[in-house]
Amino acid sequence: MEHEMAYIPYVPYEEARSSLKEFYRKYGGSKNKVDNIIRIHSKNPLSMKHHFELYAHLMRGPSPLTRIQREMIAIVVSACNDCFYWINHHGAGLRKLVDDEDLPKALVKNYKVAILSRQDRAMLDYAAKLTVTPADVEERDVVHLKELGFDDTGVLDICQVTAYYNYVNRLADGLGVELEQEWKGELVVTEEEMKRWMHERDSVKGSLWSK
């Protein structure tokens, strides 16, 4: 859940030197402020660089997947992992892309009951399965995605985006990365909602994945 401060300190902007100073400037955007999930790498600037480049390629680079599809995977994986930080980052991103307040919340609470195309539902089924029970993924899961129109590159990108958000969910929760202050006024899901939905899900075994 939410924390006041990460478990390890960020290098302050004014103390950044050499490559870290360059990366802070490069990744700070128009507001010259780096997201906390990138700043958490400040003790290891090269990992900051490689993380940002991987994120930019998977989420913004060329792909058979649409931006909306990639955002949906990010939200569902983060919901599987109960990752408050990423649920709200990408919930806000999807809300802006689709101009819909309800879809991000529906994906967090239980994507199985959200209004989705067959292709998108299969994509999210694969992402959820790879997140929750990765050893159970079989070739037939990939065959099903291809039957619904995804080509090999699309399947690869579904897998890569899913794997990436499992990595960054654990980075955020393992180091207590706190949600940036500017996001707190426009939360997609509050802590109270998260706790309630987690309780509802856990009270019925497998309910999040049940149709």
Side-chain angles (χ1 to χ4, degrees):
M1 279 299 182
E2 178 66 331
H3 310 279
E4 290 300 321
M5 185 62 68
Y7 304 151
I8 62 174
Y10 310 105
V11 175
Y13 290 103
E14 63 274 13
E15 294 180 15
R17 300 289 182 269
S18 188
S19 60
L20 179 59
K21 185 175 183 179
E22 174 192 344
F23 297 152
Y24 271 172
R25 186 183 305 115
K26 184 176 182 179
Y27 306 139
S30 58
K31 296 181 180 179
N32 197 32
K33 188 172 183 181
V34 180
D35 285 344
N36 289 339
I37 197 66
I38 299 299
R39 285 183 70 206
I40 202 68
H41 293 279
S42 60
K43 301 289 186 177
N44 186 346
L46 272 181
S47 73
M48 176 185 290
K49 175 180 183 291
H50 294 314
H51 179 174
F52 188 89
E53 289 175 351
L54 179 63
Y55 163 79
H57 177 72
L58 291 178
M59 295 303 288
R60 305 293 178 106
S63 174
L65 305 183
T66 66
R67 282 282 308 282
I68 290 172
Q69 286 175 318
R70 286 178 269 188
E71 293 288 348
M72 289 196 295
I73 293 172
I75 293 169
V76 168
V77 170
S78 300
C80 291
N81 290 324
D82 301 325
C83 185
F84 185 77
Y85 181 94
W86 281 111
I87 283 171
N88 278 292
H89 260 262
H90 285 284
L94 181 62
R95 179 173 60 193
K96 184 175 181 180
L97 282 172
V98 300
D99 192 26
D100 183 347
E101 294 279 343
D102 297 328
L103 180 59
K105 280 182 176 286
L107 293 177
V108 175
K109 187 174 183 182
N110 185 349
Y111 78 91
K112 289 282 193 180
V113 298
I115 300 173
L116 300 169
S117 68
R118 286 186 66 210
Q119 188 185 59
D120 286 345
R121 187 174 302 282
M123 174 187 75
L124 297 178
D125 284 341
Y126 177 88
K129 187 174 185 179
L130 184 58
T131 298
V132 178
T133 55
D136 291 342
V137 174
E138 299 175 325
E139 185 177 5
R140 63 182 178 180
D141 297 309
V142 170
V143 170
H144 183 54
L145 290 172
K146 294 172 77 170
E147 288 173 345
L148 290 175
F150 291 107
D151 63 11
D152 288 341
T153 306
V155 173
L156 171 64
D157 286 356
I158 293 169
C159 186
Q160 288 198 99
V161 173
T162 299
Y164 169 76
Y165 280 98
N166 274 289
Y167 158 61
V168 291
N169 284 180
R170 283 150 180 78
L171 186 66
D173 288 339
L175 295 175
V177 177
E178 75 279 16
L179 192 65
E180 296 82 6
Q181 190 63 41
E182 58 266 26
W183 290 92
K184 295 182 180 180
E186 50 179 297
L187 293 177
V188 171
V189 176
T190 66
E191 285 198 80
E192 291 71 23
E193 287 174 319
M194 276 277 293
K195 290 175 182 176
R196 184 171 71 251
W197 295 345
M198 287 165 61
H199 176 74
E200 291 173 357
R201 182 192 68 197
D202 294 342
S203 66
V204 181
K205 185 177 180 181
S207 62
L208 183 60
W209 325 123
S210 300
K211 294 182 180 179

